[in-house]
Amino acid sequence: MKKDIHPDYHEVTVVMTDGSTFTTRTTWGEPGETMRLDIDSKSHPAWTGEHRLVDSGGQVAKFNKRFQNLGLK
């Protein structure tokens, strides 16, 4: 293997959205740093099954207006 081409792995603490923590090894940040998650498997709809509709810039309203005559609700 070539020397000095591999990233430096070190331990960081990860804080989940509910406040629970765990330690993992990563190339992110500096050794001993804390990574705070905004979205994780406990809060993201892909894992929880809860769907929240976020309308950014009126896209949902625009879609509904465009396809209102299809008869689907």
Side-chain angles (χ1 to χ4, degrees), residues 11-73:
E11 288 190 353
V12 297
T13 302
V14 179
V15 179
M16 305 288 271
T17 56
D18 68 350
S20 61
T21 63
F22 65 92
T23 303
T24 189
R25 289 176 42 87
T26 182
T27 59
W28 177 86
E30 299 294 323
E33 206 167 335
T34 300
M35 177 188 292
R36 297 186 184 279
L37 301 179
D38 294 331
I39 297 176
D40 62 28
S41 60
K42 296 177 183 177
S43 64
H44 194 278
W47 287 279
T48 63
E50 297 175 15
H51 295 282
R52 287 179 277 157
L53 194 55
V54 178
D55 188 6
S56 61
Q59 293 297 314
V60 174
K62 184 177 177 182
F63 177 87
N64 288 337
K65 182 180 178 185
R66 184 173 180 186
F67 295 106
Q68 67 186 356
N69 297 326
L70 287 180
L72 302 174
K73 289 280 177 177

Side-chain angles (χ1 to χ4, degrees), residues 1-10 25-28:
M1 286 192 341
K2 292 181 181 180
K3 293 191 181 284
D4 301 325
I5 65 166
H6 300 288
D8 175 38
Y9 282 96
H10 49 271
R25 289 176 42 87
T26 182
T27 59
W28 177 86

